[in-house]
C-alpha cells in the first residue's frame, strides 16, 4: 500500500518553498502531517499545543484537521523561521503564535491542559518531558517524531532516544505505541487516573 497522502493543505506547498528559500530543512514530514490532521480532527473544540513551529508545515496540517471551535498554540524560539509561518497562517483566528524558547515556556505555562501535544523540538521531548506530559489532558495524546536514526545524529543522540522511549513506555499514566513510519514516531495517550495500576492489580487478583 502506498501511504503517501493524496492531498495536503494548500498552505503547505507555499510554506515549503519559503522554508527552502530560508535554508530551513527540518519541516514536518508529509506523512506525519497527515497524522497530525487526523488526530486534530478527533478533538472537536480541542486545545492543541505544538512545540516547534518551524516554518509552519506542521501548523498548517494541524489547522487543516481542527474544527472552527478548536485552538492551537504553537511555540518557536527562532523568530525568523516562525515569521514564515506567521505570514502564511496568522490570519487564522484559531492559532496563537508564541516566539519563545519552549523550555522556559513550558516551565512558566499555567493555563489549561491540551487535548493534543505535538513535541517537534528538543524541549518537551528530550528535556522538560515531565512538564510537557503534565499538560496532556486525560484522554489526550502526546506525539513525538524524528526518532529514526539519521547519519547526521551526534554520537550521544541515539542513547538519548533510547532513554526517552524507556521513560515513556514505563509510565503507568500513559499508553504508548511506537510507529516505525515517517521519521519514526511515538504516540502516547494519557489514561484515566489509576487505570493501568487498577488493571494490573485486577490481573494479579
Amino acid at each position: 500500500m502506498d501511504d503517501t497522502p493524496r492531498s495536503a493543505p494548500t498552505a503547505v506547498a507555499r510554506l515549503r518553498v519559503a522554508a527552502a528559500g530560508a535554508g530551513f530543512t527540518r519541516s514536518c514530514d508529509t506523512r506525519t502531517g497527515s497524522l497530525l490532521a487526523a488526530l486534530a480532527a478527533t478533538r472537536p473544540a480541542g486545545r492543541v499545543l505544538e512545540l516547534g513551529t518551524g516554518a509552519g508545515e506542521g501548523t498548517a496540517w494541524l489547522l487543516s484537521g481542527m474544527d472552527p471551535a478548536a485552538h492551537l498554540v504553537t511555540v518557536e524560539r527562532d523568530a525568523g523561521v516562525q515569521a514564515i509561518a506567521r505570514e502564511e497562517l496568522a490570519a487564522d483566528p484559531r492559532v496563537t503564535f508564541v516566539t519563545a524558547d519552549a523550555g522556559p515556556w513550558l516551565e512558566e505555562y499555567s493555563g489549561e491542559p491540551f487535548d493534543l501535544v505535538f513535541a517537534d523540538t528538543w524541549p518537551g521531548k528530550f528535556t522538560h518531558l515531565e512538564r510537557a506530559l503534565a499538560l496532556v489532558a486525560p484522554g489526550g495524546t502526546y506525539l513525538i517524531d524524528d526518532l529514526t536514526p539519521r547519519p547526521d545524529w551526534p554520537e550521544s543522540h541515539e542513547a538519548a532516544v533510547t532513554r526517552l522511549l524507556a521513560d515513556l513506555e514505563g509510565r503507568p499514566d500513559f499508553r504508548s505505541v511506537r510507529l516505525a513510519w515517517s521519521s519514526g514516531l511515538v504516540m502516547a495517550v494519557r489514561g484515566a487516573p489509576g487505570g493501568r495500576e487498577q488493571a494490573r492489580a485486577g490481573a494479579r487478583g
Side-chain angles (χ1 to χ4, degrees):
M1 181 180 69
D2 182 1
D3 62 358
T4 304
R6 292 292 178 266
S7 62
T10 56
V12 166
R14 295 190 295 269
L15 289 165
R16 190 167 296 156
V17 170
F24 184 78
T25 61
R26 303 304 295 269
S27 289
C28 175
D29 177 78
T30 300
R31 287 174 295 168
T32 299
S34 68
L35 177 59
L36 289 172
L39 290 173
T42 69
R43 301 292 178 175
R47 291 177 49 78
V48 181
L49 173 63
E50 179 184 37
L51 300 172
T53 313
E57 287 190 41
T59 312
W61 280 104
L62 286 165
L63 288 168
S64 75
M66 290 163 48
D67 74 2
H71 190 77
L72 167 65
V73 176
T74 182
V75 183
E76 171 63 50
R77 70 176 182 177
D78 188 329
V81 170
Q82 193 188 58
I84 298 170
R86 284 180 180 267
E87 182 174 353
E88 183 68 38
L89 303 170
D92 191 322
R94 298 173 299 165
V95 60
T96 297
F97 287 96
V98 178
T99 305
D101 187 306
W105 186 89
L106 284 166
E107 294 170 358
E108 297 168 7
Y109 178 79
S110 59
E112 297 180 36
F114 296 89
D115 301 299
L116 172 60
V117 174
F118 176 44
D120 193 21
T121 190
W122 204 269
K125 186 189 300 186
F126 297 109
T127 69
H128 301 83
L129 176 63
E130 290 292 332
R131 185 59 186 146
L133 293 177
L135 296 183
V136 180
T141 299
Y142 169 83
L143 184 73
I144 51 177
D145 63 349
D146 298 331
L147 300 176
T148 297
R150 292 168 48 99
D152 59 349
W153 274 9
E155 186 174 339
S156 62
H157 192 61
E158 189 164 358
V161 170
T162 300
R163 288 193 298 272
L164 172 63
L165 295 176
D167 191 351
L168 280 172
E169 293 169 351
R171 299 184 65 96
D173 49 345
F174 280 83
R175 184 62 61 95
S176 299
V177 58
R178 300 187 189 193
L179 302 174
W181 174 78
S182 185
S183 63
L185 312 176
V186 168
M187 182 169 63
V189 177
R190 179 184 286 280
R196 288 180 70 180
E197 295 91 331
Q198 292 174 6
R200 289 170 179 166
R204 289 195 297 269

